[in-house]
Amino acid sequence: MLNDLEFAYTPVRDKVRDLREYLDAPKLRSELAVIEQKLSDPTLWSNPELSQPLMRDRKRIDTLLADDAELARRVGDVDAYFDLAREGEPVEEDLKREMDALSKFAESMETRTLLSGETDQLNAIVTVHPGAGGTESQDWAEMLMRMYLRWAEQQGFKAEMNDYQDGEEAGIKSATFTITGDYAFGQLSGETGVHRLVRISPFDQAKRRHTSFASVFVSPEIDDSIQIDIKPDELRTDTYRSGGKGGQHVNTTDSAVRITHIPTGIVVQCQNERSQHKNREKAMKMLRSRLYEYELEKKRQETKKLEDSKLDINFGSQIRSYVLQPYRIAKDHRTKVDFGDVDRVLDGYLDPFIRGYLLMRRNGGVPVGTADDDDLE
């Protein structure tokens, strides 16, 4: 058994070695010293545009150094168990458990090292819309909304609903919510696009198989350190009475706010707060995030760089299929990553797809999986 464990440990040890070389702790400490020196200047704190990016960089480096130290500690524990096992101590079960924990931690760290984009560390604003198909697609949109909310919960992130509109019979007509947590946008950035569901419809008395579509759009929640120029005369603001779920304040005052950015046609709305002022504030934050992503996408198109596969967002560009009938699988069409436990995916387990997308992004658009799309026809 010990030989088997040593054989299984080899790729884990190699991955840890590569990760620690990539992190380069001495270089990180040197960068941190420079940042600390800059932050020691008292005049810096009067300029948030300079201090906030430095604070983010310091937090990022501190986290990476802590991760490197944790890797070293876990490797030391595994090596100590191997020494005891070679001396004849019955520690194989403990050794296997520590190896598994190290492998999962290293894989999680590898995912985080892929999050190096300018906005990857920011919070995420997620919007879900059903496609054509009435109740079927509205129900599917609600399932997707729940999937992302469950993912956020599992990550220890906070989720706050900005706008929610019930479907006519079931599901939702639309939902927009903010997920707050470190690198929330970076992890969810690959979720933008069209998601397809294949299942036996619970709304069809004949129990026929149906295909439903819903679109997801993810943008970073832009903070004050990133300047977005929005001219008041380019905005049209409408107020209306809130609808859907809520307390006694719903449908009593025109507290809901819809803002249209006239040059781009981008529309955002918020109805979840009691006051019109708070709804407008949240809507403006959503608009700034959407405009930032809009400008980034224009630059990508102009330079024709395949930085990611979010450029063509329409119902002909489905990025992932979730098949519940006649077999069960979740498959990403860009990365070729698939996962057989589709119920677990719909319950928020997105790690294989997030990691696959980030690896593809790092590899210049080259998929990491091997599955055949024909399997989903």
Side-chain angles (χ1 to χ4, degrees):
M1 182 177 181
L2 182 58
N3 289 337
D4 292 339
L5 288 174
E6 288 178 331
F7 180 77
Y9 184 49
T10 298
V12 179
R13 184 185 60 229
D14 292 344
K15 176 178 285 190
V16 170
R17 181 199 63 222
D18 292 343
L19 270 173
R20 298 198 68 197
E21 287 179 359
Y22 175 82
L23 290 173
D24 194 353
K27 182 181 177 182
L28 288 174
R29 293 190 189 97
S30 177
E31 292 176 359
L32 185 60
V34 172
I35 291 173
E36 294 286 5
Q37 185 177 9
K38 292 180 179 178
L39 289 174
S40 66
D41 181 358
T43 62
L44 183 74
W45 298 99
S46 62
N47 189 343
E49 292 183 18
L50 295 178
S51 61
Q52 287 183 5
L54 286 173
M55 291 292 290
R56 282 201 304 268
D57 286 342
R58 182 172 70 174
K59 181 180 180 181
R60 176 182 62 83
I61 294 176
D62 280 338
T63 300
L64 291 175
L65 286 172
D67 287 342
D68 180 74
E70 181 67 8
L71 274 178
R73 185 192 68 78
R74 289 175 181 262
V75 168
D77 289 347
V78 171
D79 289 343
Y81 275 118
F82 267 117
D83 290 340
L84 290 172
R86 294 185 187 105
E87 292 171 3
E89 296 291 333
V91 295
E92 282 82 1
E93 290 303 318
D94 292 327
L95 173 56
K96 187 176 185 303
R97 184 180 65 251
E98 291 296 325
M99 280 175 51
D100 289 343
L102 173 60
S103 178
K104 290 178 181 177
F105 183 75
E107 187 169 298
S108 173
M109 268 203 64
E110 184 180 44
T111 298
R112 291 200 298 276
T113 62
L114 298 169
L115 297 169
S116 58
E118 181 184 6
T119 56
D120 281 350
Q121 79 277 10
L122 299 179
N123 302 329
I125 298 177
V126 183
T127 299
V128 182
H129 286 292
T135 302
E136 286 286 345
S137 60
Q138 290 176 11
D139 185 58
W140 170 224
E142 185 175 42
M143 291 169 65
L144 279 176
M145 179 191 72
R146 178 187 178 277
M147 180 180 78
Y148 292 118
L149 294 177
R150 289 285 293 134
W151 175 84
E153 180 183 343
Q154 292 162 19
Q155 302 301 310
F157 292 167
K158 176 185 175 183
E160 182 179 9
M161 193 66 63
N162 301 319
D163 184 64
Y164 181 98
Q165 297 183 42
D166 277 315
E168 294 172 0
E169 296 180 23
I172 59 173
K173 289 183 178 178
S174 73
T176 300
F177 47 94
T178 300
I179 295 180
T180 303
D182 289 342
Y183 293 93
F185 173 70
Q187 294 183 74
L188 292 178
S189 59
E191 295 300 304
T192 292
V194 176
H195 297 245
R196 179 178 74 153
L197 174 70
V198 181
R199 63 172 175 175
I200 299 296
S201 170
F203 307 101
D204 186 340
Q205 292 183 351
K207 302 298 180 184
R208 290 171 294 189
R209 188 170 66 172
H210 285 246
T211 299
S212 306
F213 297 92
S215 66
V216 175
F217 186 82
V218 185
S219 59
E221 185 182 53
I222 302 303
D223 58 27
D224 293 336
S225 66
I226 299 177
Q227 297 299 315
I228 302 295
D229 183 25
I230 301 178
K231 299 177 181 177
D233 59 355
E234 294 179 344
L235 301 180
R236 184 175 70 247
T237 302
D238 302 304
T239 58
Y240 57 98
R241 293 190 177 184
S242 300
K245 301 175 181 178
Q248 293 180 348
H249 67 285
V250 173
N251 288 326
T252 59
T253 61
D254 291 343
S255 61
V257 174
R258 180 186 298 111
I259 300 176
T260 303
H261 185 250
I262 298 171
T264 62
I266 292 174
V267 179
V268 295
Q269 57 191 35
C270 185
Q271 61 171 324
N272 237 45
E273 298 292 340
R274 291 176 180 267
S275 78
Q276 185 183 116
H277 175 73
K278 288 185 177 179
N279 280 327
R280 177 180 169 79
E281 186 178 338
K282 282 192 174 183
M284 283 300 296
K285 184 176 287 189
M286 292 159 57
L287 178 61
R288 293 177 72 234
S289 298
R290 290 286 299 274
L291 285 173
Y292 180 83
E293 191 69 8
Y294 174 83
E295 291 300 327
L296 277 185
E297 192 165 313
K298 277 204 329 186
K299 289 180 181 178
R300 291 175 194 143
Q301 291 173 340
E302 288 168 2
T303 56
K304 297 182 180 179
K305 288 182 179 179
L306 184 60
E307 180 180 312
D308 54 41
S309 57
K310 297 190 298 180
L311 302 183
D312 186 20
I313 304 166
N314 55 58
F315 284 86
S317 65
Q318 61 199 31
I319 64 167
R320 191 176 303 146
S321 290
Y322 308 73
V323 181
L324 304 182
Q325 189 71 26
Y327 48 87
R328 305 179 72 81
I329 193 171
K331 162 70 186 296
D332 196 290
H333 302 286
R334 305 158 302 171
T335 64
K336 309 304 179 185
V337 170
D338 59 43
F339 193 75
D341 192 349
V342 66
D343 293 310
R344 188 180 175 194
V345 173
L346 292 173
D347 197 41
Y349 182 64
L350 300 176
D351 293 7
F353 302 106
I354 289 173
R355 186 168 177 272
Y357 176 80
L358 293 173
L359 284 169
M360 184 186 77
R361 187 175 72 174
R362 185 186 68 182
N363 296 341
V366 178
V368 298
T370 57
D372 188 350
D373 281 342
D374 290 342
D375 296 339
L376 297 176
E377 295 304 320

